[in-house]
Structure formats: C-alpha cells, structure tokens
Amino acid sequence: MSEFQKFSIRETLENKSLFITGATGFVGKVVVEKLLRDLNCAKIFLLIRAKKNQKVEERLNQEIISSPVFDRLRKELGKIEFNKLIEQKIKAVAGDISQEKLGLNIDDNNLLCEQIQIIIHCAATVNFSEPLRDAISLNILGALRVLDLAKLCKRLMVLTHVSTAYVNCNRQGLIEEKIYPLNSEPNQLLEQMLRMTPNELERETQRLLGTFPNTYTFTKNLAEQILLSRRGNIPLVIYRPSIIGASLSEPIPGWIDTISAASAMYLTAALGVVQFVNGNENVKGDQVPVDQVSTSIIAHTAAAIAQRKEIIICHFGSSTTNPCTWADSRRFVSAALSHRYFERRITKNPSFRFMPNSLWYKFNYTTQYIIPTSAYSLYANMFGSEKDRKHAAWLAKMEKRIRKISETFHHFMTYEWLFETKYTDYIYDCLSSEEQRIFNFNVREIDWKLYIDDFMFGIRTLVLKEENVPHPKEDHEIQIAYMPYCFSDISRIIRSSKTINNMHQSFNVNEIKCLILYSNRVQSMIQQLAHKESVTPQQIELRARKIIETMAGEISVPVVRAQAWFYTKLYRSFCSLRNDKIGMNRIFELLRDQQRIVLVPSHRSYLDFLLVSYLFFCYNLPLPLIASGDDFLNMTFVRWILRKSGAFFMRRTFGNDPLYRSIFTEYIARLFHMGQPLEFFIEGTRSRIGKNLTPKMGILSIVIDSFLSSSNFMQTSSNLNDSNTNINTNTNININLSDPTNIYRTIDKDAWFVPICINYEKMVEEESHVRELIGEMKQKPSTQALLKATITKLRNLDFGRISVRFAEPISLKQFIVNQKQQFQSSSPSSSSSPLSSSSSSPPHSSPLSSISIQPIEYRKIVHNLAYEIINNFNKHTVCSSTGIISSLILLNREGIHRDVLINQFGWIKKEINCRNGLTDQSCEKDDKAVLRCLKLLQSVVTERRNIVEPAADSLISSTSSTNSRLTIDMKAILQLNIYRNQLIHVFYAESLICCAMTALSKTARWIPINQLFDEWYFLNSLLRNENVNDWSIDEQKMIFTSGLKLLISKEIFITNDNQIDISHFQHINNNNNNNNNNNNNNN
C-alpha cells in the first residue's frame, strides 16, 4: 500500500452525483446525512420503493427527511435553509431492487445513466432467518441489478457494495481482506438455485448453506463472488463492516432507529425478556458504530476514485485494533441498567449472562421458559378465563421470540473472528488531520463503556420513546443496586470496603485520645483551670479524660459491616436510593490524591446521620467521623452503635466550660490534620419545615482555624516527653515520637468542603415534625421511643425516593485567597486601615504563602463560607415529586381534579428545569409519578371522585367536631407545606417581584423598575431567614434582574422605558384565578 498518496475526501467528491440504495435503512440514512452535512455533492439520487397508498416522495419525507438523524443539520441550518438544501440536493427515484432493471421507469433510468458518477449500494435484507429464495432475490440479484445499471452509466467512477465482515463466518481465526473461494463455482450455484421451485429450495436450504449459519451470510458471500466475476471494467469497492450498532458521536451520541444484531440482544436483556444466551462471553464481539461505518464508506469510495483502484476489498471492525469481548459488553450493559432501568422491563432487576455449555443452556431454557409457559397454557385453556388465555398466548409468543434470538446469535457468540483492517487503517492515515477530525472512523479511540452507555440511551429514547431520560453524561443519579439472589447482601457486604478506613490502620482511638489530652491547647487549659480553681492539674486532667471518653468516636469494622447489612435492608423500604455518581467521582478523585475532605450534608431526618457513611461503604471509600449531638447519649444501645460507626458526641452548647471547648477544638483539629474525613451538619439540627436553616458557625470555625494554624500542632510530641503525668497502663499505646511527620503527614494538603443535599420524597419523622410545629413538646430521644416508632413505621414500607446530590467541592485554600482579594479590593491598602486596626488581636499565622488574616476578616471568611454551603444546598436540592404535588394541592385547597393535577405537575417540572432547578431524573411518566406520590401522601391527602384535596377526616375526639376537623386540617396543611418548601428557592426571586407588584398595584399604573427593586430589596431583607441567603447588593440586583427578565419573557410583565405596566399584571393575575376556579368547578 506504499503507492497510495494522501488525498482529500472533500475535494474528491466535490460536485459529484451519487446514487444510493437502501437510504431508508439504518446505515443509508446516516450516509445521506453525512454527505449533506460535510460534503458539497451535486446531487444525491435515492432509490425508494413505493408502498401501497404511499408515494416515494411521501416516504422520502416521512422516513428519511423527518428522521431525528437530520435534527442536528436542521438545527444548524435552520428550517428554511434545511428545506432548500433538501430540495436542491436530494432526488427520490421510484424503484425496487427486487425487480428487473430496479423497477425504474425509462425517464429515471435515462437520467441516472446520464448523471450519476458514484453508486453506493446499501440495500439488502439483514434478516438472518430470511427464506433463501427472498434472500437470493434481495442480496444477490439486487446487487447484480445495481451492477447492470452501473455498466450503463456514462460517467461512473466507482460502485461501492456494502457487504458484511461475516461473509466468511464459515471460517475461524484471522480473516484477510480478500475473496475466499467457495467449494462450488458461484455463477453455476446461483443458476442452480434459480432453477429450483420454492418448495425444492426450502428443502435444500440446509444442504446449500453448508457451514454458513444463515441465509444472510451465505447470500452476501455469493453476491461478492459473482459481482467480482461480472464487474467488467467497473471499479468496485467491497466494503465489509462487522456488527453495526448505535452512533458514537454523529449526528448525536447513541443515535439508533432500528433493532437488529447487538441492539436486539441489549434491548431484550434490558427489558428482562432474555436472561441468558447460549454463547461464550470470552470471545471478541466485533462491534462498530453506525456513524463510523457511514464515514468510512464515504472515505473508501473517495479513495477508490482518488487512487484509481479497480478493486478494493476492505473490512471495518474492531476485533484487531480495539477489541471488546461479549463479557465486556455484558458488564457495560449491566452497569448502564443498574444506573437507570428501562421503564417497560418485565422483571424488577433485569440481567443476562452467557452459558457456553449447550446442554446446561437447554436445561435452563426448558425449566425457566418452556415448562412454565406450557403449564400456564394448559391451565388457561382448561380452567382459565379469556384474560388468562390471552396472557398464555402472549407468553407462548414471547417464548418463541426468545428462542429465535438465542438461535440467531448463538453462532456469532460462540466462535471468534479477527478481521484484518490494514486497508482501512491506511486510508485513515492518508487523510489530513483536519479531515481525520471531520471524517473520523478511528475505532482505536472508542471507549466501549461510554459507547454502551450512549447505545442504551439511544435505545430507550429513540426506539422505546421513553421521556425525561437524562443523557448518561448529564445523569447524576445512580440507583443503589440490590442483588436478588440468596445471601447476596451478606456476600456483597463482606466483599465491600475491605479496608473500611485507611486512617484507622495507623491510628486507633486510644492514640487519638492521648494526643488530645497532651496537646498544647488542652494542657495549657488544664494548667489555667488548676490555678484558677486552686486544685491540682491531675484533678482537672481526670475531668478532661472523662470528657474525651464521652466525646470520642471510633470505627469498628464488624459494627460497620453489620450496619451496612441493616441499611441495605432498610433502604429497600424506599422505592430507591438515588446517589450522585458524578459527585461521588469527584470525592473519589480527592481522596485518591490524599486531600482532606469535610462533608457537610443538609439535615432533614435522623437517617441523614449514617446515610453518607453507607454510601461511602458501598463505594469503598474511607468512612467519615460524624459530629453528633449529645442527645443520643441517653440511648444506651443506639449510642454504642453510633460511636462504633464513627459518631463523636458534642454538647449543644459549651456554656462557660473552657476545658470542654478546648478539648472539642483539639479533637476536631486533630482529626482534620490526620486527613480523616469529617462530617458535620452546618444547620445544627434537623429542619422541621423542609427549608434550609441559618448556618451554625462553631465546627466550621474550628476547621478553618485548624487549617490556618497548622503550625501550632508540631509541639505535641514535646508535651508527651515533658509530661510527668501517668498514662493508663491498661491502654495499649504505640506512638512514634521520633517521627512527628507521620502524625502530620497531610499538613501541606488543601481542605475541601463538600456540601451534600439529601432529599426525601417522604420523611420518616413527618408526623413528629408537624407535632413540634403546632407547639407540642419535643420528645427526648430514647431507645424505647425509637423501637416504638420503628415498629409503627414498618407497617408502611414505602417512603418514596431518597436523592443524594454532592455539590462541587469548595477548596478552602482558594476560598480564603479569593476572600482576601475581595477584602483588599474593597478597603484601603494601608496600615492605618480600619480593617487592620479594628482589633488588637494578632493575625492568624497562615500557611497560604505570606497572607495574614485579621480577626474581622477571619469572622467574615467563616460567615461567607457557611452561606456558600447553604447556597450550594439550594442549587443541588432535588425538587421531589411529592413537593410539586403538595404545592399544587395547597394552591387548590378546595380540590383539584386528578387530570388537572397531572397536567400542572408536568408544567411545574418544566418550569423548575428552565430555572436550572433539579427534579427527579427518573424517566417516570407524569401520570405514574402523580399516582405514586398520592399514595405516599395518603395520610394527608384524600381523593374522592378524582378530586384531590388536603385530608379533613376527624380522627381526634373533641367536644366540638369543628375544632377536631380544624386540628386535622392544620396538620395536613403543615405536612404538605414541609414538602412544598423544597421548591421555594426556585421561585423565590419571582415570587418577591410579584408580591412587590401586588403591593404597588394601587399606587399608579406604571411602576419604575428602580422602585420595584426597592420593594423587592425590602422584602428580601424581611424574609432572608425564610430563604436563607446573605447576598450582597450586587448579587441581589443580579438575581432581581434575572427574575424580572424571566417574567417579561413569559409576558407576565410589560415594560416601557424602564417602567412596568401594573394593569397588565393585574389582568394576568385575575385571568389565572378565574381559570383555576373554572377548571375546578367544571371537574
């Protein structure tokens, strides 16, 4: 191949006229789209078969031009220019490859013979079980009829015949790019078969096929042989692709519109129809994306013209350059399904496997398909109803389909072929770097996992037409999978997190306690208190020991594993636990680089405490130590479990106990500098109202102070050496004092805060939250109360979905630097500035180069970081389906028809998404989501005659039935409000604007925008604790402007010369109220 020179596809095919068969097929459409998008061809003639009551022009528009494959080109050009391009470049020609002379009329035949220069023959039947007579007509005679046309074309430059790499599947091993001779002379064999009657041909099919597995590969092989012998002087390209799948990148990743070959196996496996196939998963399954196939067809066609080659035989496959075994494919498909199952699946957790042993496969197939189907069919026909008989017929039909799929793929999943691709590789190297980018068919670059993800996405969205399915690259949610077979949970937990926590391999809890007790900070405080209280230091130290013993947590491997098993069972009571796979990957990267992380979850439920630890366990990440309130110390067994799972206990307030404060500060700082992942709740307590609470700065301040004052910890070893205090000899302590760097090995690392937003569709403690909101006393946590509540809640095992989202980690180092720059830019840079003279306290000694931080700056940094974390909670809050439904029910307290509720549910989801808010990423349809969530809310919502309203049942006895009903109504309303509050941050800016407009509606018709902002600013200041924020004036102006633009774009407001029309806003508001009333009255 050294004689070939570089060439240009664009220059070679410039202003050429092409004739394409099979343009309505999978490959043909992509070829046409690529020609239109990246080449300037003169004309593209498409052979299209007319159907009954459908002309070729109608098929052209409906099956080709209207196909989603052209959406990208349609969007890039615009609808008008796209239609012009189609009209100018595309010409549909009525014909049929199964008819003589392709079924062309005289005028079309003459036109083609005069104009076409290139023929690309894609048409064929790809049905592996096609009757031999039909396969001969389409795959052999059809190709010969195209060749006859080519010989009549006056300007023809090349004929490209699209075959298949499996034309030689009667062989094994390396398949070269050449024609392998058959045992019989091809033309004579064809004549022999054409002389047979249909019945004779059917009887002789197996004999004629010989070692070929099906009629498709046999007829394709014969077509190549005969084309080569009859081509005359026609330049011929025989192009052999392997198994063609969804697109890699063009026109969109995962594009597919037909189910065949590998896609058939993937689809049936994803639906749970096929659970095992007869094949060897260790053989290479040669797959190639359809867009690379179409691009390489064009490239080989251009190469034949540019290089003036008479015959080109080439493979296009991946088995020799970037192989992917069937085991890899199975693993990648299973991974894609575990993230998000198909909506139409017939089993809960679809999976499939390969069975290389044919006898074992037949046994399983018989016991799992044939016997159950036959038994049910017998029962239905003898004793069953009409419905049973229909279901039995459906099962029998399904069983035949499963058998056909297995038989079809058995040969290709049992044997292995290595297709030589030397010519294809060389053609790619002959292109310039620019054309390699535009016409990319380099299979070496394919990441098979990402490709299979896109493949499955294309099947579910383009073939099954599932809605609301996020693209895999944008899909944050991953459902925690639970294995269905016996003892699977125990097995998985034993295998998972083998190290549990690397930190505790080199540090045990006794070492940490000792390091805290003999630290500078604590020893100094002990000396001060001993002097102040006139007692010995040993007495204060004894008190310190008790505080440390009560406070410290540890991680016990057996307890963690047992808890993981318990949580696995517990979370099965929810529909699903949906984790943020993208956020989890970020944390994995940080921990892999040995960075220090501080996890800061939102706090809505007691389940939050160990939820993050459970996720870390599932992903084999080091478990965090968790700050917990001392309320749990009253719960004997629960206290022990929490402590052994990594919880450490702190008082709600330190009061006037400086010893406790110094010990706690030292404990946090010590864990931080060890590199131990920490977790604390910045809101301090659970939010009973479904909204974020004002942040508490205590632990956050300690962590930041530890980061800024890392040099203070290097003196601990000297305290240990100089101390004369006896150490408890019953404690086994092994500390290497000669190597303090072992203790402070991460002192030079950055610290990363990871805000985590946890959302529940239904909270376990919803009833207790409501009782506290109406004024009842909070019950102190106790083991007895916990057991009672658990037994009560277990009666209802459906609590909806839990969504966990990880925000972008915040670099503490970069945050401090940015804050310092803001301080410097907003104040005079002089030594006499108010900032430097505001306090006589010395500045913090910071490891951040030469930066020094004044006390007032330090407080501001802590404050700003706390509110930055809260802002991240808002950005990553998933507005649950129950939250949306609660909002609609509260808006229509006198009742809303279920159909209206479903319609408005979908509308609000779209409105949330267009404001960059987050909703449930499942592909659940709106009607199913509403019905499911109404079931979750059945304790606070009633439905009568399809009218949904807040529950108003009289459940509490009272002297006045009215008062009893009012109490129940209030609880239902409060409970719905808790879920509704998840949405407030999304519509906050616009709601304040509308509220301000309502307040100003009586002042004048036209309201200046500046005046509206003043009112908005006042309302935000008033309600800043309702939607926790600490926006600067510039941020408030930006948020106000963004909300106002959105309202104007939706024509709710009309503006003119920086003024807003009040009357138009009132008109819109009145119409909405009237429409809501009319809808409910009609329903």
Side-chain angles (χ1 to χ4, degrees):
M1 298 182 188
S2 59
E3 67 271 16
F4 290 123
Q5 303 295 323
K6 286 189 175 290
F7 70 97
S8 170
I9 297 176
R10 284 180 161 179
E11 292 177 4
T12 304
L13 301 183
E14 179 81 13
N15 291 324
K16 298 296 189 296
S17 294
L18 294 88
F19 176 66
I20 301 176
T21 67
T24 58
F26 182 42
V27 175
K29 289 176 186 174
V30 186
V31 171
V32 174
E33 193 272 345
K34 186 66 175 179
L35 290 171
L36 288 174
R37 180 158 49 86
D38 288 325
L39 291 168
N40 182 25
C41 301
K43 202 76 174 178
I44 303 174
F45 298 93
L46 306 180
L47 184 71
I48 300 177
R49 177 171 54 87
K51 289 185 176 181
K52 186 178 181 180
N53 300 325
Q54 191 177 32
K55 298 180 180 179
V56 293
E57 290 79 9
E58 294 175 349
R59 284 198 70 190
L60 172 66
N61 289 323
Q62 293 180 10
E63 298 184 28
I64 301 179
I65 306 304
S66 298
S67 170
V69 76
F70 289 96
D71 285 351
R72 173 179 171 180
L73 185 59
R74 190 179 289 110
K75 183 178 180 180
E76 290 176 354
L77 297 180
K79 187 175 181 180
I80 296 176
E81 291 300 320
F82 174 78
N83 291 335
K84 287 182 180 179
L85 179 68
I86 296 299
E87 185 177 354
Q88 177 186 357
K89 299 290 185 181
I90 300 296
K91 168 69 176 175
V93 178
D96 188 345
I97 63 169
S98 65
Q99 297 181 12
E100 290 299 324
K101 296 184 179 181
L102 299 177
L104 297 170
N105 60 42
I106 296 177
D107 293 338
D108 287 340
N109 188 78
N110 293 336
L111 176 65
L112 295 177
C113 291
E114 289 291 333
Q115 293 195 19
I116 61 176
Q117 299 162 281
I118 298 168
I119 296 178
I120 299 177
H121 176 48
C122 298
T125 174
V126 295
N127 184 359
F128 286 4
S129 58
E130 191 81 61
L132 183 56
R133 187 173 190 83
D134 295 337
I136 291 172
S137 175
L138 295 172
N139 292 346
I140 301 177
L141 298 181
L144 294 177
R145 292 172 185 130
V146 172
L147 178 62
D148 292 338
L149 175 66
K151 292 179 179 180
L152 297 175
C153 294
K154 300 176 181 179
R155 304 168 59 197
L156 190 79
M157 305 177 77
V158 66
L159 164 62
T160 298
H161 171 70
V162 180
S163 183
T164 173
Y166 293 94
V167 292
N168 295 304
C169 65
N170 57 330
R171 299 173 177 271
Q172 293 184 41
L174 179 66
I175 307 297
E176 299 179 17
E177 294 174 305
K178 68 179 185 179
I179 297 291
Y180 289 89
L182 291 173
N183 294 330
S184 303
E185 203 284 323
N187 289 283
Q188 292 179 3
L189 181 58
L190 176 62
E191 293 298 327
Q192 177 188 350
M193 292 188 294
L194 291 177
R195 286 195 297 268
M196 293 181 180
T197 64
N199 290 335
E200 290 175 339
L201 197 59
E202 185 177 356
R203 287 196 303 269
E204 295 292 324
T205 295
Q206 290 302 321
R207 181 185 65 82
L208 292 169
L209 294 183
T211 54
F212 285 93
N214 51 55
T215 59
Y216 171 70
T217 56
F218 171 70
T219 54
K220 276 293 191 179
N221 184 297
L222 204 56
E224 285 187 10
Q225 307 266 357
I226 298 174
L227 279 175
L228 199 62
S229 66
R230 298 187 184 183
R231 72 173 186 87
N233 61 352
I234 299 295
L236 179 64
V237 175
I238 295 178
Y239 178 83
R240 298 171 175 173
S242 58
I243 300 173
I244 304 175
S247 67
L248 178 69
S249 58
E250 294 183 338
I252 57 173
W255 183 84
I256 186 173
D257 73 344
T258 188
I259 295 298
S260 62
S263 59
M265 184 182 68
Y266 297 159
L267 173 62
T268 52
L271 295 176
V273 175
V274 173
Q275 299 179 15
F276 47 85
V277 292
N278 188 196
N280 182 1
E281 67 174 12
N282 295 318
V283 302
K284 296 180 177 68
D286 201 310
Q287 305 176 65
V288 285
V290 66
D291 54 334
Q292 291 200 343
V293 170
S294 64
T295 300
S296 60
I297 288 174
I298 296 170
H300 284 86
T301 302
I305 298 173
Q307 307 297 340
R308 301 182 183 276
K309 291 292 291 183
E310 291 297 315
I311 299 174
I312 294 177
I313 301 172
C314 56
H315 288 132
F316 186 69
S318 59
S319 55
T320 57
T321 54
N322 186 11
C324 177
T325 65
W326 289 117
D328 295 330
S329 298
R330 177 189 58 78
R331 188 172 69 254
F332 297 150
V333 169
S334 299
L337 293 179
S338 67
H339 292 178
R340 195 175 293 278
Y341 291 117
F342 280 23
E343 186 178 328
R344 300 186 195 176
R345 66 188 186 278
I346 61 176
T347 58
K348 186 175 182 180
N349 299 314
S351 63
F352 75 105
R353 63 189 189 276
F354 290 83
M355 292 184 178
N357 188 299
S358 296
L359 292 177
W360 180 242
Y361 166 79
K362 290 177 181 178
F363 173 78
N364 279 272
Y365 187 84
T366 301
T367 56
Q368 296 189 39
Y369 288 106
I370 295 179
I371 293 177
T373 301
S374 301
Y376 184 77
S377 179
L378 180 64
Y379 160 78
N381 291 326
M382 294 182 64
F383 310 106
S385 62
E386 181 65 24
K387 183 178 179 181
D388 292 331
R389 287 190 286 273
K390 287 183 178 180
H391 188 55
W394 178 83
L395 287 176
K397 185 178 180 181
M398 187 65 65
E399 185 271 324
K400 290 181 180 179
R401 287 183 178 179
I402 295 171
R403 185 192 312 166
K404 182 179 179 181
I405 290 171
S406 183
E407 291 173 353
T408 298
F409 295 123
H410 167 67
H411 186 82
F412 303 96
M413 294 181 179
T414 303
Y415 303 102
E416 183 176 86
W417 301 269
L418 300 176
F419 299 112
E420 182 184 63
T421 58
K422 290 182 179 179
Y423 190 83
T424 299
D425 297 339
Y426 184 78
I427 291 298
Y428 182 79
D429 293 336
C430 286
L431 301 177
S432 66
S433 58
E434 176 66 15
E435 288 208 342
Q436 285 180 351
R437 181 185 61 81
I438 298 172
F439 302 96
N440 182 17
F441 52 93
N442 186 3
V443 296
R444 292 183 178 89
E445 298 176 354
I446 299 175
D447 183 322
W448 290 111
K449 183 183 185 306
L450 298 179
Y451 173 68
I452 295 295
D453 283 345
D454 289 334
F455 201 146
M456 302 302 291
F457 175 75
I459 289 176
R460 72 189 310 158
T461 56
L462 299 172
V463 177
L464 298 180
K465 307 296 183 183
E466 291 187 8
E467 299 176 352
N468 304 322
V469 182
H471 190 273
K473 293 181 180 178
E474 302 171 355
D475 187 4
H476 283 256
E477 292 184 354
I478 174 174
Q479 183 171 339
I480 301 299
Y482 304 110
M483 303 302 177
Y485 40 84
C486 185
F487 301 115
S488 57
D489 290 336
I490 296 176
S491 175
R492 180 173 67 89
I493 286 164
I494 291 175
R495 293 195 309 269
S496 296
S497 279
K498 294 181 179 180
T499 58
I500 297 295
N501 196 318
N502 293 330
M503 295 295 108
H504 286 263
Q505 291 180 352
S506 53
F507 287 97
N508 60 50
V509 67
N510 292 321
E511 290 180 4
I512 297 172
K513 291 176 182 177
C514 188
L515 289 169
I516 294 169
L517 184 62
Y518 296 107
S519 65
N520 273 352
R521 192 193 318 266
V522 175
Q523 285 297 312
S524 175
M525 184 56 64
I526 288 174
Q527 295 297 329
Q528 292 179 31
L529 290 177
H531 177 74
K532 181 179 179 180
E533 298 178 12
S534 300
V535 295
T536 64
Q538 287 78 7
Q539 291 177 290
I540 304 297
E541 185 173 306
L542 182 61
R543 192 198 313 170
R545 284 180 181 277
K546 291 180 180 179
I547 293 174
I548 295 172
E549 288 293 332
T550 304
M551 180 185 300
E554 62 179 302
I555 293 184
S556 168
V557 174
V559 173
V560 168
R561 293 195 188 280
Q563 271 210 318
W565 176 86
F566 173 77
Y567 265 78
T568 299
K569 301 299 183 184
L570 175 66
Y571 287 132
R572 280 206 182 95
S573 64
F574 296 87
C575 289
S576 60
L577 171 57
R578 298 179 177 271
N579 187 31
D580 181 0
K581 63 179 182 181
I582 296 178
M584 208 57 147
N585 288 337
R586 294 195 197 107
I587 294 177
F588 176 80
E589 294 294 330
L590 291 175
L591 291 173
R592 187 182 64 181
D593 296 338
Q594 297 184 358
Q595 298 289 334
R596 292 173 290 192
I597 65 169
V598 182
L599 308 172
V600 192
S602 60
H603 202 10
R604 302 290 181 269
S605 168
Y606 281 133
L607 293 177
D608 299 337
F609 275 105
L610 296 177
L611 176 57
V612 175
S613 296
Y614 175 72
L615 293 176
F616 273 46
F617 177 89
C618 292
Y619 283 86
N620 296 307
L621 298 176
L623 306 187
L625 290 182
I626 311 161
S628 175
D630 60 356
D631 314 45
F632 295 103
L633 292 174
N634 299 323
M635 306 169 67
T636 307
F637 183 63
V638 175
R639 174 186 66 200
W640 181 84
I641 291 178
L642 292 178
R643 190 187 300 278
K644 294 293 183 180
S645 302
F648 59 91
F649 300 95
M650 57 178 288
R651 298 174 185 172
R652 292 293 180 183
T653 176
F654 296 168
N656 294 321
D657 191 343
L659 179 61
Y660 189 93
R661 182 184 300 276
S662 64
I663 291 174
F664 183 78
T665 301
E666 183 67 25
Y667 183 66
I668 295 291
R670 185 66 54 185
L671 296 176
F672 177 75
H673 284 284
M674 285 168 48
Q676 168 67 48
L678 292 176
E679 178 184 343
F680 71 93
F681 300 96
I682 198 168
E683 296 166 288
T685 185
R686 292 173 298 155
S687 172
R688 273 74 168 174
I689 55 177
K691 296 185 291 186
N692 296 322
L693 302 180
T694 303
K696 306 298 186 293
M697 313 294 181
I699 300 180
L700 179 65
S701 176
I702 293 172
V703 173
I704 296 177
D705 183 70
S706 301
F707 180 73
L708 294 173
S709 308
S710 57
S711 61
N712 292 341
F713 290 86
M714 299 304 296
Q715 302 175 27
T716 299
S717 58
S718 63
N719 286 333
L720 285 168
N721 289 328
D722 296 341
S723 175
N724 295 321
T725 307
N726 293 328
I727 299 176
N728 186 353
T729 56
N730 294 326
T731 301
N732 183 18
I733 300 177
N734 182 19
I735 302 178
N736 184 4
L737 300 179
S738 63
D739 185 15
T741 58
N742 180 47
I743 301 175
Y744 308 104
R745 61 188 179 281
T746 60
I747 211 164
D748 59 334
K749 298 290 184 180
D750 194 1
W752 298 80
F753 285 86
V754 185
I756 306 172
C757 191
I758 305 174
N759 268 80
Y760 299 84
E761 278 194 333
K762 183 174 182 177
M763 286 185 295
V764 178
E765 307 102 315
E766 57 183 9
E767 294 177 4
S768 64
H769 286 353
V770 171
R771 287 196 298 268
E772 292 178 33
L773 289 174
I774 62 176
E776 294 185 12
M777 291 292 294
K778 176 187 175 183
Q779 295 182 352
K780 290 186 177 181
S782 64
T783 304
Q784 181 181 0
L786 176 64
L787 291 174
K788 181 179 178 181
T790 301
I791 294 172
T792 303
K793 292 298 180 182
L794 285 178
R795 297 173 186 171
N796 180 6
L797 292 179
D798 189 3
F799 288 95
R801 295 170 178 167
I802 302 178
S803 295
V804 182
R805 284 296 184 94
F806 295 85
E808 187 80 26
I810 302 170
S811 166
L812 181 55
K813 183 182 294 185
Q814 190 61 47
F815 186 85
I816 293 174
V817 170
N818 293 341
Q819 290 290 305
K820 184 65 178 179
Q821 291 173 350
Q822 292 180 16
F823 299 152
Q824 291 174 346
S825 63
S826 61
S827 62
S829 56
S830 62
S831 59
S832 60
S833 66
L835 187 63
S836 60
S837 60
S838 58
S839 173
S840 60
S841 302
H844 280 268
S845 176
S846 172
L848 304 178
S849 302
S850 59
I851 294 179
S852 63
I853 299 176
Q854 302 295 334
I856 190 172
E857 293 178 326
Y858 172 77
R859 290 192 293 271
K860 192 65 176 175
I861 288 172
V862 174
H863 178 274
N864 290 347
L865 181 56
Y867 277 90
E868 178 66 20
I869 292 171
I870 295 295
N871 288 338
N872 274 281
F873 286 168
N874 283 335
K875 291 178 183 177
H876 293 82
T877 294
V878 176
C879 299
S880 68
S881 298
T882 52
I884 297 173
I885 292 173
S886 298
S887 300
L888 293 169
I889 294 174
L890 290 172
L891 189 64
N892 302 271
R893 298 191 182 188
E894 296 184 0
I896 179 173
H897 195 274
R898 186 200 293 173
D899 294 339
V900 178
L901 181 63
I902 293 171
N903 183 53
Q904 292 189 358
F905 174 83
W907 172 74
I908 287 187
K909 281 188 69 175
K910 291 179 181 177
E911 291 298 315
I912 292 172
N913 291 330
C914 80
R915 290 165 174 79
N916 296 322
L918 302 177
T919 56
D920 189 351
Q921 285 191 334
S922 69
C923 51
E924 188 178 30
K925 292 185 178 179
D926 293 342
D927 55 345
K928 292 184 178 180
V930 170
L931 293 177
R932 180 179 59 81
C933 292
L934 287 177
K935 185 177 179 181
L936 293 175
L937 297 172
Q938 60 185 347
S939 62
V940 292
V941 169
T942 59
E943 183 176 0
R944 299 183 181 91
R945 297 180 181 179
N946 292 331
I947 300 297
V948 182
E949 59 185 349
D953 297 325
S954 180
L955 299 177
I956 298 179
S957 58
S958 176
T959 56
S960 170
S961 60
T962 303
N963 290 338
S964 176
R965 174 168 178 169
L966 179 63
T967 302
I968 296 300
D969 275 348
M970 183 59 66
K971 287 187 175 182
I973 295 299
L974 284 174
Q975 202 159 317
L976 291 171
N977 267 283
I978 291 173
Y979 296 116
R980 187 274 311 272
N981 287 343
Q982 299 174 4
L983 279 62
I984 285 180
H985 68 280
V986 179
F987 302 98
Y988 178 75
E990 296 158 72
S991 62
L992 290 195
I993 293 173
C994 293
C995 184
M997 283 290 288
T998 303
L1000 296 171
S1001 60
K1002 297 180 181 180
T1003 59
R1005 175 177 177 179
W1006 293 91
I1007 301 297
I1009 292 179
N1010 290 338
Q1011 183 180 355
L1012 181 63
F1013 173 73
D1014 292 339
E1015 295 294 326
W1016 186 93
Y1017 178 83
F1018 166 75
L1019 289 174
N1020 181 55
S1021 301
L1022 189 67
L1023 301 172
R1024 60 182 299 178
N1025 287 332
E1026 295 301 312
N1027 180 64
V1028 179
N1029 67 79
D1030 189 41
W1031 299 324
S1032 65
I1033 186 65
D1034 291 335
E1035 289 175 326
Q1036 292 186 64
K1037 288 180 179 179
M1038 182 181 66
I1039 293 169
F1040 168 80
T1041 303
S1042 176
L1044 184 60
K1045 285 181 178 178
L1046 189 60
L1047 292 171
I1048 293 172
S1049 68
K1050 294 183 177 297
E1051 298 182 352
I1052 296 175
F1053 287 171
I1054 292 180
T1055 60
N1056 184 21
D1057 294 334
N1058 291 325
Q1059 291 186 323
I1060 301 175
D1061 188 357
I1062 283 285
S1063 61
H1064 178 75
F1065 170 71
Q1066 291 175 328
H1067 178 70
I1068 293 290
N1069 196 27
N1070 292 334
N1071 284 344
N1072 287 337
N1073 291 335
N1074 293 333
N1075 289 336
N1076 287 335
N1077 292 333
N1078 291 334
N1079 286 334
N1080 288 328
N1081 290 335
N1082 291 334
N1083 290 321

